[in-house]
Amino acid sequence: MATGRATLADVARAAGVGLATVSRALNGRPDVSEETTERVRRAAAALGYRPSGTARALRRGSFAALSAVVHDQVWGWWEPVLRAAASATAEAGMHLFVHPVTSGGDATDVIAGLANVPTEGVIVMGVPHQEALREECTRIGLPVVALDDSAHTLHLPTISARNRAGARRMTEYLIQQGHRRIVFVGGSTDEFVPSWGEGLFVEERLAGYREALAAAGIPFRDELVTGWADPEDESTALVGQLEELLRSGVTPDAVFCIADLVAPAVLRTLSAHRLSVPADVAVAGFDDERAALIVDPPLTTMRQPYEEMGRLAVELLQREIRGEALPVRRFELDAELVERESTRRAANSRV
Amino acid sequence: MATGRATLADVARAAGVGLATVSRALNGRPDVSEETTERVRRAAAALGYRPSGTARALRRGSFAALSAVVHDQVWGWWEPVLRAAASATAEAGMHLFVHPVTSGGDATDVIAGLANVPTEGVIVMGVPHQEALREECTRIGLPVVALDDSAHTLHLPTISARNRAGARRMTEYLIQQGHRRIVFVGGSTDEFVPSWGEGLFVEERLAGYREALAAAGIPFRDELVTGWADPEDESTALVGQLEELLRSGVTPDAVFCIADLVAPAVLRTLSAHRLSVPADVAVAGFDDERAALIVDPPLTTMRQPYEEMGRLAVELLQREIRGEALPVRRFELDAELVERESTRRAANSRV
DNA sequence: CTGAAAGCGCTTACAG
DNA sequence: CTGAAAGCGCTTACAG
């Protein structure tokens, strides 16, 4: 509330009526004479009066909000989750704040700033270091849950997809399709996406891949696991380590991309080597984000349960608000296999 | 605020101290004895006390928020704008609500619900019918600006990109590259994206295309303007009318997509006809949204000034909040040509 | 139809 | 170190 802003009392004085009358007139109650209403309206307009939402909310007692703290680096990524959280919040009769954390900024500072904000709880998206967050939330008395699949050590109830099982499922599917030489792109930390850090999901998805191979009796080969390119060049990047592999004469049966995001570069790399998808090589991803539908051919992938994840975050928060103590553990939700052209057996003829 | 929730007074009673002491203890002020602090903490915990953000905000008087009302259909679309608005809001020391409007829902109802929300102003994104919105905002006394390029009739200050000039610029560029037979995809209302409705931007971008042709002395040909496909099939859609054109023996020099979103289907259609991009046909888009970087080859496009648009929305709202009366007109911002592989003259050889 | 008063749940001088 | 009181800006019985 800016200082010097006109209040109800100012309007009342200017209009020469009582506080209550101003309130009634401005809220369009029928039990005020037209003449008075008009006078009050004019006075309010003259003073540039605008009601204080805070005071109103306090008095009416019917306002409640939740907060989503979203790191810039995961905005696009978590957009469907944010959207689901917004819907769930609205359905619960609450409202949702979005607090951005800029790339240079610190989520802890953002949370500290929440002390003055009328919010009841915090959903933190994409911030891997949870300890400081938890301390800050405890300090200002706000329940908090995290949406994250990077953190190795948890200090908060944390929601994510079941990454290991999902990757295992996809690998099993590729094996069922008859593929044995399956390259896993994005598993090495050599050429890493900075924001992924040493994300847990990398390990988990790689582990799922290995589990499926082992279960099928296919030996794991280190050289089939490659890193990824620098995301700065999203539009033109090739996957260096995949290139080397292809140049060395190894032609994979299939490529499993650790994330759909990686698929455009993988497809470009295969295409540069005159390999056709899915006729020569099957390609699969993980996430089912927009890239999966844009690439040609459309990508078979494991769909993260974005909608469920967003809703679960709101539900957990509501339980905390009601006083329930949530365990500090991962709440994992199943990813779902979505089959598209990039892995179909009934492939088109070679181009 | 849930009913029956413990208040400061409850805690004070339980701890056998005064209100003020509870407040101090819970806020970690140093001027409370450790013993008292401990007792208060315990009482608060036992009662499940959590401070009322609303009361705190009212009392401290340092809270202010803006609201973004975002239609589901434009979520992904306006995500960078929303992000910029969030940053600008935070920089101004304010906070941002996100209020989703579900596909079946009505933005006016959402705004009506804002009467009880401590917000100072509203940014409406992607809602073309402004009249009801304006009325509702006036009724509850909230300043409002729109981010929209669909509405033909304005009732609100409205921000958008300079669509006509942008399309003209792109067409000029294509002409400069030596192209004359330039197909415009997305300009017909025959095969329309439902959510685009009769969007103004469609007319504007088409008009820009025509202006550039006229200026270059290239006759406008109706049959070179085609509709687009149903977005439900995003991953596999071909552009029907473009197909017919190609089948009829017309090979364009270039294809200008009304939106980047259309480009994947256009590229698929050209590819199905063994036309290589950019060697055989140049392809350009509009928006510079993510699809532009994912398609292969990466797309030359007009970049919408998302960042500026989001920031301008916040700035205009702040001016309204300060009492300035904004004109009901379009605030247009320049789009910028981004040149990528899809139109390069120095094209690769044919595949 | 209108006004004075109480109160929403906090924080913060002010006085011990 | 602690408490009683005032007050943030509204709304809403309660009484005229």
Side-chain angles (χ1 to χ4, degrees), chain A residues 119-146:
Chain A
T119 185
E120 314 278 317
V122 182
I123 300 169
V124 177
M125 296 189 182
V127 181
H129 299 298
Q130 301 187 338
E131 190 156 17
L133 298 183
R134 211 233 6 227
E135 274 171 24
E136 196 58 38
C137 284
T138 304
R139 209 178 63 71
I140 62 179
L142 243 32
V144 53
V145 300

PDB file of all heavy atoms in Angstrom, chain A residues 119-146:
ATOM      1  N   THR A 119       0.523 -15.353   2.349  1.00  0.00           N
ATOM      2  CA  THR A 119       0.495 -16.672   1.727  1.00  0.00           C
ATOM      3  C   THR A 119       0.529 -17.739   2.814  1.00  0.00           C
ATOM      4  O   THR A 119       1.031 -17.503   3.910  1.00  0.00           O
ATOM      5  CB  THR A 119       1.674 -16.844   0.754  1.00  0.00           C
ATOM      6  OG1 THR A 119       1.566 -18.082   0.073  1.00  0.00           O
ATOM      7  CG2 THR A 119       3.000 -16.797   1.495  1.00  0.00           C
ATOM      8  N   GLU A 120       0.004 -18.898   2.494  1.00  0.00           N
ATOM      9  CA  GLU A 120      -0.129 -19.947   3.506  1.00  0.00           C
ATOM     10  C   GLU A 120       0.873 -21.068   3.335  1.00  0.00           C
ATOM     11  O   GLU A 120       0.987 -21.942   4.197  1.00  0.00           O
ATOM     12  CB  GLU A 120      -1.535 -20.568   3.435  1.00  0.00           C
ATOM     13  CG  GLU A 120      -2.662 -19.575   3.347  1.00  0.00           C
ATOM     14  CD  GLU A 120      -3.017 -19.034   4.713  1.00  0.00           C
ATOM     15  OE1 GLU A 120      -3.070 -19.833   5.654  1.00  0.00           O
ATOM     16  OE2 GLU A 120      -3.229 -17.812   4.817  1.00  0.00           O
ATOM     17  N   GLY A 121       1.528 -21.090   2.182  1.00  0.00           N
ATOM     18  CA  GLY A 121       2.454 -22.198   1.963  1.00  0.00           C
ATOM     19  C   GLY A 121       3.229 -22.015   0.677  1.00  0.00           C
ATOM     20  O   GLY A 121       2.852 -21.202  -0.165  1.00  0.00           O
ATOM     21  N   VAL A 122       4.291 -22.775   0.530  1.00  0.00           N
ATOM     22  CA  VAL A 122       5.211 -22.559  -0.578  1.00  0.00           C
ATOM     23  C   VAL A 122       5.481 -23.848  -1.351  1.00  0.00           C
ATOM     24  O   VAL A 122       5.747 -24.892  -0.757  1.00  0.00           O
ATOM     25  CB  VAL A 122       6.564 -22.023  -0.058  1.00  0.00           C
ATOM     26  CG1 VAL A 122       7.508 -21.745  -1.213  1.00  0.00           C
ATOM     27  CG2 VAL A 122       6.351 -20.782   0.771  1.00  0.00           C
ATOM     28  N   ILE A 123       5.388 -23.746  -2.665  1.00  0.00           N
ATOM     29  CA  ILE A 123       5.828 -24.824  -3.545  1.00  0.00           C
ATOM     30  C   ILE A 123       7.105 -24.341  -4.211  1.00  0.00           C
ATOM     31  O   ILE A 123       7.091 -23.313  -4.889  1.00  0.00           O
ATOM     32  CB  ILE A 123       4.786 -25.113  -4.641  1.00  0.00           C
ATOM     33  CG1 ILE A 123       3.456 -25.513  -4.021  1.00  0.00           C
ATOM     34  CG2 ILE A 123       5.294 -26.207  -5.572  1.00  0.00           C
ATOM     35  CD1 ILE A 123       2.313 -25.554  -5.022  1.00  0.00           C
ATOM     36  N   VAL A 124       8.177 -25.066  -4.011  1.00  0.00           N
ATOM     37  CA  VAL A 124       9.448 -24.660  -4.596  1.00  0.00           C
ATOM     38  C   VAL A 124       9.718 -25.521  -5.820  1.00  0.00           C
ATOM     39  O   VAL A 124       9.676 -26.744  -5.732  1.00  0.00           O
ATOM     40  CB  VAL A 124      10.588 -24.836  -3.581  1.00  0.00           C
ATOM     41  CG1 VAL A 124      11.912 -24.485  -4.218  1.00  0.00           C
ATOM     42  CG2 VAL A 124      10.341 -23.960  -2.372  1.00  0.00           C
ATOM     43  N   MET A 125       9.975 -24.881  -6.946  1.00  0.00           N
ATOM     44  CA  MET A 125      10.185 -25.641  -8.171  1.00  0.00           C
ATOM     45  C   MET A 125      11.610 -25.504  -8.685  1.00  0.00           C
ATOM     46  O   MET A 125      12.074 -24.410  -8.976  1.00  0.00           O
ATOM     47  CB  MET A 125       9.245 -25.144  -9.267  1.00  0.00           C
ATOM     48  CG  MET A 125       7.786 -25.364  -8.935  1.00  0.00           C
ATOM     49  SD  MET A 125       6.754 -25.003 -10.352  1.00  0.00           S
ATOM     50  CE  MET A 125       5.137 -25.292  -9.616  1.00  0.00           C
ATOM     51  N   GLY A 126      12.266 -26.644  -8.780  1.00  0.00           N
ATOM     52  CA  GLY A 126      13.564 -26.661  -9.431  1.00  0.00           C
ATOM     53  C   GLY A 126      14.701 -26.047  -8.645  1.00  0.00           C
ATOM     54  O   GLY A 126      15.644 -25.526  -9.232  1.00  0.00           O
ATOM     55  N   VAL A 127      14.648 -26.111  -7.330  1.00  0.00           N
ATOM     56  CA  VAL A 127      15.768 -25.623  -6.522  1.00  0.00           C
ATOM     57  C   VAL A 127      16.354 -26.814  -5.768  1.00  0.00           C
ATOM     58  O   VAL A 127      15.727 -27.349  -4.863  1.00  0.00           O
ATOM     59  CB  VAL A 127      15.305 -24.550  -5.525  1.00  0.00           C
ATOM     60  CG1 VAL A 127      16.487 -24.046  -4.709  1.00  0.00           C
ATOM     61  CG2 VAL A 127      14.635 -23.400  -6.251  1.00  0.00           C
ATOM     62  N   PRO A 128      17.550 -27.239  -6.169  1.00  0.00           N
ATOM     63  CA  PRO A 128      18.074 -28.487  -5.630  1.00  0.00           C
ATOM     64  C   PRO A 128      18.586 -28.433  -4.187  1.00  0.00           C
ATOM     65  O   PRO A 128      18.579 -29.436  -3.513  1.00  0.00           O
ATOM     66  CB  PRO A 128      19.193 -28.863  -6.611  1.00  0.00           C
ATOM     67  CG  PRO A 128      19.541 -27.605  -7.308  1.00  0.00           C
ATOM     68  CD  PRO A 128      18.357 -26.703  -7.262  1.00  0.00           C
ATOM     69  N   HIS A 129      19.038 -27.281  -3.724  1.00  0.00           N
ATOM     70  CA  HIS A 129      19.588 -27.253  -2.365  1.00  0.00           C
ATOM     71  C   HIS A 129      18.504 -26.870  -1.378  1.00  0.00           C
ATOM     72  O   HIS A 129      18.152 -25.713  -1.225  1.00  0.00           O
ATOM     73  CB  HIS A 129      20.778 -26.307  -2.293  1.00  0.00           C
ATOM     74  CG  HIS A 129      21.878 -26.745  -3.218  1.00  0.00           C
ATOM     75  ND1 HIS A 129      22.512 -27.957  -3.070  1.00  0.00           N
ATOM     76  CD2 HIS A 129      22.392 -26.176  -4.329  1.00  0.00           C
ATOM     77  CE1 HIS A 129      23.395 -28.109  -4.036  1.00  0.00           C
ATOM     78  NE2 HIS A 129      23.334 -27.040  -4.822  1.00  0.00           N
ATOM     79  N   GLN A 130      18.019 -27.864  -0.683  1.00  0.00           N
ATOM     80  CA  GLN A 130      16.801 -27.676   0.089  1.00  0.00           C
ATOM     81  C   GLN A 130      17.025 -27.240   1.528  1.00  0.00           C
ATOM     82  O   GLN A 130      16.116 -26.718   2.159  1.00  0.00           O
ATOM     83  CB  GLN A 130      16.010 -28.989   0.106  1.00  0.00           C
ATOM     84  CG  GLN A 130      15.634 -29.471  -1.281  1.00  0.00           C
ATOM     85  CD  GLN A 130      14.703 -30.668  -1.240  1.00  0.00           C
ATOM     86  OE1 GLN A 130      14.654 -31.381  -0.237  1.00  0.00           O
ATOM     87  NE2 GLN A 130      13.961 -30.888  -2.301  1.00  0.00           N
ATOM     88  N   GLU A 131      18.227 -27.424   2.018  1.00  0.00           N
ATOM     89  CA  GLU A 131      18.404 -27.214   3.450  1.00  0.00           C
ATOM     90  C   GLU A 131      18.110 -25.773   3.873  1.00  0.00           C
ATOM     91  O   GLU A 131      17.351 -25.524   4.798  1.00  0.00           O
ATOM     92  CB  GLU A 131      19.824 -27.611   3.885  1.00  0.00           C
ATOM     93  CG  GLU A 131      19.955 -27.643   5.397  1.00  0.00           C
ATOM     94  CD  GLU A 131      21.082 -28.558   5.843  1.00  0.00           C
ATOM     95  OE1 GLU A 131      21.944 -28.888   4.991  1.00  0.00           O
ATOM     96  OE2 GLU A 131      21.115 -28.939   7.031  1.00  0.00           O
ATOM     97  N   ALA A 132      18.704 -24.838   3.152  1.00  0.00           N
ATOM     98  CA  ALA A 132      18.496 -23.425   3.485  1.00  0.00           C
ATOM     99  C   ALA A 132      17.031 -23.043   3.319  1.00  0.00           C
ATOM    100  O   ALA A 132      16.479 -22.263   4.103  1.00  0.00           O
ATOM    101  CB  ALA A 132      19.374 -22.535   2.606  1.00  0.00           C
ATOM    102  N   LEU A 133      16.395 -23.615   2.324  1.00  0.00           N
ATOM    103  CA  LEU A 133      14.982 -23.321   2.090  1.00  0.00           C
ATOM    104  C   LEU A 133      14.151 -23.742   3.299  1.00  0.00           C
ATOM    105  O   LEU A 133      13.266 -23.015   3.748  1.00  0.00           O
ATOM    106  CB  LEU A 133      14.475 -24.096   0.869  1.00  0.00           C
ATOM    107  CG  LEU A 133      15.120 -23.796  -0.475  1.00  0.00           C
ATOM    108  CD1 LEU A 133      14.431 -24.615  -1.557  1.00  0.00           C
ATOM    109  CD2 LEU A 133      15.023 -22.317  -0.784  1.00  0.00           C
ATOM    110  N   ARG A 134      14.434 -24.940   3.756  1.00  0.00           N
ATOM    111  CA  ARG A 134      13.640 -25.453   4.858  1.00  0.00           C
ATOM    112  C   ARG A 134      13.811 -24.581   6.088  1.00  0.00           C
ATOM    113  O   ARG A 134      12.863 -24.224   6.764  1.00  0.00           O
ATOM    114  CB  ARG A 134      14.046 -26.887   5.180  1.00  0.00           C
ATOM    115  CG  ARG A 134      12.869 -27.677   5.708  1.00  0.00           C
ATOM    116  CD  ARG A 134      13.142 -28.364   7.025  1.00  0.00           C
ATOM    117  NE  ARG A 134      14.417 -28.023   7.598  1.00  0.00           N
ATOM    118  CZ  ARG A 134      15.252 -28.900   8.082  1.00  0.00           C
ATOM    119  NH1 ARG A 134      14.941 -30.181   8.017  1.00  0.00           N
ATOM    120  NH2 ARG A 134      16.373 -28.504   8.611  1.00  0.00           N
ATOM    121  N   GLU A 135      15.061 -24.197   6.359  1.00  0.00           N
ATOM    122  CA  GLU A 135      15.312 -23.338   7.517  1.00  0.00           C
ATOM    123  C   GLU A 135      14.532 -22.037   7.425  1.00  0.00           C
ATOM    124  O   GLU A 135      13.897 -21.602   8.368  1.00  0.00           O
ATOM    125  CB  GLU A 135      16.804 -23.013   7.612  1.00  0.00           C
ATOM    126  CG  GLU A 135      17.574 -24.073   8.362  1.00  0.00           C
ATOM    127  CD  GLU A 135      19.068 -23.830   8.258  1.00  0.00           C
ATOM    128  OE1 GLU A 135      19.481 -22.668   8.034  1.00  0.00           O
ATOM    129  OE2 GLU A 135      19.828 -24.808   8.379  1.00  0.00           O
ATOM    130  N   GLU A 136      14.586 -21.434   6.245  1.00  0.00           N
ATOM    131  CA  GLU A 136      13.923 -20.144   6.064  1.00  0.00           C
ATOM    132  C   GLU A 136      12.408 -20.291   6.225  1.00  0.00           C
ATOM    133  O   GLU A 136      11.756 -19.456   6.842  1.00  0.00           O
ATOM    134  CB  GLU A 136      14.264 -19.589   4.677  1.00  0.00           C
ATOM    135  CG  GLU A 136      13.960 -18.118   4.498  1.00  0.00           C
ATOM    136  CD  GLU A 136      14.683 -17.245   5.514  1.00  0.00           C
ATOM    137  OE1 GLU A 136      15.851 -17.530   5.842  1.00  0.00           O
ATOM    138  OE2 GLU A 136      14.046 -16.281   5.989  1.00  0.00           O
ATOM    139  N   CYS A 137      11.862 -21.328   5.673  1.00  0.00           N
ATOM    140  CA  CYS A 137      10.417 -21.543   5.783  1.00  0.00           C
ATOM    141  C   CYS A 137      10.015 -21.805   7.229  1.00  0.00           C
ATOM    142  O   CYS A 137       8.974 -21.340   7.692  1.00  0.00           O
ATOM    143  CB  CYS A 137       9.970 -22.693   4.885  1.00  0.00           C
ATOM    144  SG  CYS A 137       9.903 -22.218   3.148  1.00  0.00           S
ATOM    145  N   THR A 138      10.831 -22.529   7.933  1.00  0.00           N
ATOM    146  CA  THR A 138      10.560 -22.773   9.349  1.00  0.00           C
ATOM    147  C   THR A 138      10.579 -21.450  10.107  1.00  0.00           C
ATOM    148  O   THR A 138       9.712 -21.172  10.930  1.00  0.00           O
ATOM    149  CB  THR A 138      11.627 -23.719   9.942  1.00  0.00           C
ATOM    150  OG1 THR A 138      11.634 -24.910   9.171  1.00  0.00           O
ATOM    151  CG2 THR A 138      11.319 -24.029  11.388  1.00  0.00           C
ATOM    152  N   ARG A 139      11.576 -20.640   9.781  1.00  0.00           N
ATOM    153  CA  ARG A 139      11.720 -19.356  10.464  1.00  0.00           C
ATOM    154  C   ARG A 139      10.477 -18.487  10.310  1.00  0.00           C
ATOM    155  O   ARG A 139       9.996 -17.893  11.269  1.00  0.00           O
ATOM    156  CB  ARG A 139      12.940 -18.618   9.891  1.00  0.00           C
ATOM    157  CG  ARG A 139      13.626 -17.678  10.867  1.00  0.00           C
ATOM    158  CD  ARG A 139      14.852 -17.038  10.247  1.00  0.00           C
ATOM    159  NE  ARG A 139      14.548 -16.199   9.099  1.00  0.00           N
ATOM    160  CZ  ARG A 139      13.934 -15.022   9.175  1.00  0.00           C
ATOM    161  NH1 ARG A 139      13.564 -14.541  10.334  1.00  0.00           N
ATOM    162  NH2 ARG A 139      13.682 -14.329   8.080  1.00  0.00           N
ATOM    163  N   ILE A 140       9.937 -18.424   9.081  1.00  0.00           N
ATOM    164  CA  ILE A 140       8.764 -17.573   8.893  1.00  0.00           C
ATOM    165  C   ILE A 140       7.464 -18.372   9.002  1.00  0.00           C
ATOM    166  O   ILE A 140       6.395 -17.845   8.761  1.00  0.00           O
ATOM    167  CB  ILE A 140       8.823 -16.807   7.551  1.00  0.00           C
ATOM    168  CG1 ILE A 140       8.830 -17.774   6.374  1.00  0.00           C
ATOM    169  CG2 ILE A 140      10.039 -15.919   7.505  1.00  0.00           C
ATOM    170  CD1 ILE A 140       8.872 -17.058   5.039  1.00  0.00           C
ATOM    171  N   GLY A 141       7.591 -19.630   9.397  1.00  0.00           N
ATOM    172  CA  GLY A 141       6.388 -20.402   9.718  1.00  0.00           C
ATOM    173  C   GLY A 141       5.531 -20.780   8.535  1.00  0.00           C
ATOM    174  O   GLY A 141       4.307 -20.774   8.621  1.00  0.00           O
ATOM    175  N   LEU A 142       6.166 -21.102   7.414  1.00  0.00           N
ATOM    176  CA  LEU A 142       5.407 -21.454   6.219  1.00  0.00           C
ATOM    177  C   LEU A 142       5.655 -22.910   5.834  1.00  0.00           C
ATOM    178  O   LEU A 142       6.801 -23.330   5.704  1.00  0.00           O
ATOM    179  CB  LEU A 142       5.856 -20.550   5.072  1.00  0.00           C
ATOM    180  CG  LEU A 142       4.878 -19.587   4.423  1.00  0.00           C
ATOM    181  CD1 LEU A 142       3.848 -19.076   5.388  1.00  0.00           C
ATOM    182  CD2 LEU A 142       5.628 -18.452   3.785  1.00  0.00           C
ATOM    183  N   PRO A 143       4.589 -23.676   5.649  1.00  0.00           N
ATOM    184  CA  PRO A 143       4.766 -25.040   5.142  1.00  0.00           C
ATOM    185  C   PRO A 143       5.342 -24.994   3.735  1.00  0.00           C
ATOM    186  O   PRO A 143       5.106 -24.019   2.999  1.00  0.00           O
ATOM    187  CB  PRO A 143       3.352 -25.619   5.092  1.00  0.00           C
ATOM    188  CG  PRO A 143       2.442 -24.604   5.633  1.00  0.00           C
ATOM    189  CD  PRO A 143       3.187 -23.331   5.865  1.00  0.00           C
ATOM    190  N   VAL A 144       6.069 -26.031   3.370  1.00  0.00           N
ATOM    191  CA  VAL A 144       6.723 -26.000   2.065  1.00  0.00           C
ATOM    192  C   VAL A 144       6.864 -27.409   1.501  1.00  0.00           C
ATOM    193  O   VAL A 144       7.092 -28.363   2.247  1.00  0.00           O
ATOM    194  CB  VAL A 144       8.103 -25.305   2.166  1.00  0.00           C
ATOM    195  CG1 VAL A 144       8.947 -25.942   3.254  1.00  0.00           C
ATOM    196  CG2 VAL A 144       8.843 -25.315   0.847  1.00  0.00           C
ATOM    197  N   VAL A 145       6.658 -27.531   0.201  1.00  0.00           N
ATOM    198  CA  VAL A 145       6.960 -28.784  -0.498  1.00  0.00           C
ATOM    199  C   VAL A 145       7.789 -28.440  -1.725  1.00  0.00           C
ATOM    200  O   VAL A 145       7.753 -27.305  -2.213  1.00  0.00           O
ATOM    201  CB  VAL A 145       5.688 -29.541  -0.948  1.00  0.00           C
ATOM    202  CG1 VAL A 145       4.814 -29.898   0.240  1.00  0.00           C
ATOM    203  CG2 VAL A 145       4.916 -28.741  -1.984  1.00  0.00           C
ATOM    204  N   ALA A 146       8.540 -29.415  -2.212  1.00  0.00           N
ATOM    205  CA  ALA A 146       9.390 -29.171  -3.370  1.00  0.00           C
ATOM    206  C   ALA A 146       8.949 -30.025  -4.549  1.00  0.00           C
ATOM    207  O   ALA A 146       8.398 -31.115  -4.381  1.00  0.00           O
ATOM    208  CB  ALA A 146      10.841 -29.492  -3.024  1.00  0.00           C
TER     209      ALA A 146
END
